[in-house]
Amino acid sequence: MVVTILVVSAVKPQDFRTCAQTSFCRRNRAYADKATSGSFISPYNVIKDTINIEDGIISGELINTENRVLFIFEIHILINNSVRIRINEKNPLKPRYDRVKYWSLIQEPSNTLEYTENSINGKDMFTSLSFGIDRNHKVIIYHTPFHIELLINDVPIITFNNRGFFNFEHLRKKDDPVNKPELVIQPDINAEEAEIQTEEEKEEKQEEGLWEETFNGKIDSKPNGPESIGLDISFPGFGHVYGIPEHTTTLSLKETRGGDGGYNDPYRLYNLDVFEYDLDSPTALYGSIPFMLAHRKGASAAILWLNAAETWIDIVKSKDDKSFLGFGKATPSTHTHWFSESGIIDVFAFLGPTTSDIFEQYGSLTGFTALPQSFAIGYHQCRWNYLNQRDVAEVDAGFDENDIPYDVIWLDIEHTDGKKYFTWDKTKFSDPEKMQKDIGRKGRKMVTIVDPHVKRDDNYYIYKEAKDLDILIKDKDGKAFDGWCWPGSSVYPDWTNPKAQDWFVKKFAFDQYEGSTEYLFIWNDMNEPAVFSGPEITAPKDLIHYEGWEHRNLHNLFGMAFHAATSQGLINRTNPNHRPFVLSRSFFVGSQRFGPIWTGDNFAKWDHLAASSPMLLTIGISGIPFSGADVGGFFGNPEPELLVRWYQTGAFQPFFRGHAHIDTKRREPWLFGEPYTSYIRDAIRQRYILLPFWYTLFQEASTNGMPIIRPMFVVFPDNEETFAMEDQYFVGNSLLVKPITSQGQTSTEVYFAGKDIYYDYYTFKKVQGSGKVRVDVLMNKIPVFLRGGSIIPRRQRFRRSSLAMYSDPFTLIVALNKKGEATGTLYLDDGKSYEYQKGHYIYRKFNFTSGKFTSTSLNNDQVQNDENNYIRSNKFIKIERIIILGIDKLPKKIIGYYNDLIDDKKELEFKISKDIVIIRNPKLLISNDWTIEFVN
Ligand code: NOJ
């Protein structure tokens, strides 16, 4: 145990490269500088005779007029308002990596036939085509130099290579003098130094890092030499861009080359295990999603840069860009520059026009989030480490004694025999099956950790099997790569090898994973991968994977491949299959299909609590709605007030888990005494009361890609004041949450957008005023408001776990808007199996309008109640209470009936208090269509 801590605390921020220390970053930035200076003209031209338009694809050849290298481009006009641009070398020395699509896309996207070639093209200058049902979308490919514009109603939305940064370093032989890459001035030498250099020295410096690169004494042998790709992508008229997690930055991304408060380095995407990460930084963290969303009043657009190699993104904004737009007025524009170390250009553009359109367009390409088991959205209790079986039993009992619900208890690496995953340290956990069954009996679950490195130990079956199957990642000399991680000397199975996937999936079968039961689920950590002995604490780039591909090409998807195999393993272990639960630290485009992710090793500090909101909002709009941050902070010991505030915030974030480093003091919710225990209990209970609401949001995210927690600009797309707001957000479209993130706060400002009515979530009092309103803050809760117009389902009985609430009755909160109307939904299924895919679920639409409140079915699968397995076994679940807020005409009588029993109308009992009406026990079942009428 002691050894592992020593290893990790050796890691320092200077272990990570800056742009200036990364040769392809230097080269591409310098290329951009050259392109923006003076008379530069991009050397890439379309060879116009090669242009072909067929089945929704415009293809042709490009030539780099400086070195005569040829490229193939393809522009696919896709269904769903999306466009794909692919560019590769025509005759590469050897194939370039183009396998990211197999990991990240759920299928090859379909081209649309809804397009028309524009005859006025004059094929000499440009090629253009209109698409979309109304043909109001247009793509224009300019030939000399090559650049592309995407327009809607003749207004440019996204442009490519308009700034001339397109730079495709073709593969070359080392000694071929003709094929030197574009020589550039190194940005890390100052002018004086530059002057004293001889021509020869300059050339040497310029070529540094092309064929070999060293960082902190670790050599990257670059057998393929320079092979980076770069492209500028602009969003004319868009002042805000979001996305490209994972960074500890602002929601609305900052500029990276100048600008107010901007960064000096580009945003970096390179999955890394960063020890004690800094806040407000563009440096890389554990996961990478090269997806960026641009938003302005009236339009949203997005791009996905499908590349899994190390990638950097520069962002600059211009204040006055009339030239781009023809709007006739000064509009801000955002210009971005993307470059990756290797691979090909494969970029998707999503043209919205709304954010929800984009989430749908992006999700139908890369997959929507998997619907989790219902326990997964309850509260999780973790720590590095629960010491032994007795400790687990005591913590479990502690929750019951203190009347605090929870769903899952977690075991970190110390539960294993010498960090050999799939094993148990039998001195601490002598009967793991009994331990899990004891937990399971209370409706709870357990999670154990399984990391991607494998202890090099001939007596360890996992090691032996992996070695015998020849599925280990090789070093550049062809030997199994040896890296240092928790167990010491380790090997790394190549999760990109189908044989490794097949093998690993089977390791989760109950008869393979000894001591596992159906109550056990999995946590994937260190899958960036973390290699303590490697460059930047990760794998060397020149390692060799399946089919001979260098690690360099696929680094950012490696962790996801491990996550995918683990998740499939859990699916396959039961028949019929159950939904998996696997938390992963590393992530990439598509990870949402395999399970939640979390933001890694944060700190027990107020600013880390504050940073969790923009981080999770960003990850959510980038396609992974199920994410969380360690509640309480991983490193350090939170003071009770911070811990309470963190629970109160965590209860309103999608993945809700308390976790702490092995060196920290114990901090189970009852250890700080009163009043703190009560505050934490209340926060966790609020989560449980709202589980039906959360579960419904998860179901919707799994079908339309809508993030579960939503930035203000997603809910109020036309309100410019919200565009950079990140300290308050919505859960769905109904609950406005304002985390309290500083010590001793007694009031805070909340921004109430729009002309809606808002109600205090706890007191149901109407909020007076709109815009910025100062509200009082107490220690027992954070400000949460219900937006008028929404109906939310709750379960209000306190139980020990989500499963214990399975058949509980519902309370519906109807928060009326100014027109006296409200709508909402409720989704319910067995919370565990895949039966819902065959229609065995309840999906209700609630609607309150003109004094009539109805519940109707949204079950599109048309599985009638008597054939619906879920309803059959849950048909007696009732509504026990309906609370209507903001009613202006108080009813004299309230009548309720089932829609198919219209003659059987019943008068319902109700209570009125000011403008709130409470109907107790309306005697209606949740699964049926019904109507409640308010008679004045
Ligand atoms: C690093 C993870 O980020 C942390 O959550 C975990 O506790 C340790 N590894 C030990 O497994």
Side-chain angles (χ1 to χ4, degrees), residues 286 384 412-413 449 451 486 523 525-526 585 598 600-601 630 634 657 659-660:
Y286 315 94
W384 179 13
D412 208 321
I413 48 177
I449 196 164
D451 287 359
W486 300 126
W523 173 15
D525 186 21
M526 315 300 275
R585 192 171 70 176
W598 93 108
D601 300 349
D630 284 348
F634 179 69
R657 182 186 75 154
H659 182 40

Side-chain angles (χ1 to χ4, degrees), residues 141 170 172 306 424 557 565 626 634 638 755 878 881 911:
I141 300 131
H170 63 281
R172 65 204 79 203
L306 199 60
W424 300 86
L557 67 73
F626 195 8
F634 179 69
K755 297 198 175 71
K878 283 188 305 195
R881 199 182 292 108
K911 248 178 50 187

Side-chain angles (χ1 to χ4, degrees), residues 42-60:
S42 170
Y44 296 89
N45 293 341
V46 174
I47 305 174
K48 56 178 194 289
D49 302 336
T50 61
I51 295 176
N52 184 40
I53 304 181
E54 212 175 311
D55 299 336
I57 303 177
I58 310 167
S59 60

Side-chain angles (χ1 to χ4, degrees), residues 246 248 277 285-286 583-585 587 597-602 608 611-612 615-616 619 627-630 646 655 657:
E246 184 177 27
T248 56
Y277 57 70
L285 284 177
Y286 315 94
L583 177 75
S584 170
R585 192 171 70 176
F587 56 88
I597 62 101
W598 93 108
T599 60
D601 300 349
N602 57 1
H608 275 259
S612 69
M615 286 181 83
L616 299 179
I619 293 167
S627 67
D630 284 348
W646 213 314
F655 176 61
R657 182 186 75 154

Side-chain angles (χ1 to χ4, degrees), residues 756-757 759 787-790 815-822 848 885-886:
D756 298 322
I757 302 178
Y759 304 86
R787 185 172 165 210
S790 36
L816 299 179
N817 63 13
K818 284 198 173 138
K819 291 195 218 136
E821 294 173 350
F848 193 107
L885 314 180

Side-chain angles (χ1 to χ4, degrees), residues 863-877:
V863 180
Q864 301 305 316
N865 285 12
D866 49 352
E867 293 161 13
N868 187 318
N869 294 345
Y870 175 70
I871 294 181
R872 271 207 299 225
S873 45
N874 293 282
K875 60 170 157 255
F876 297 116
I877 299 184

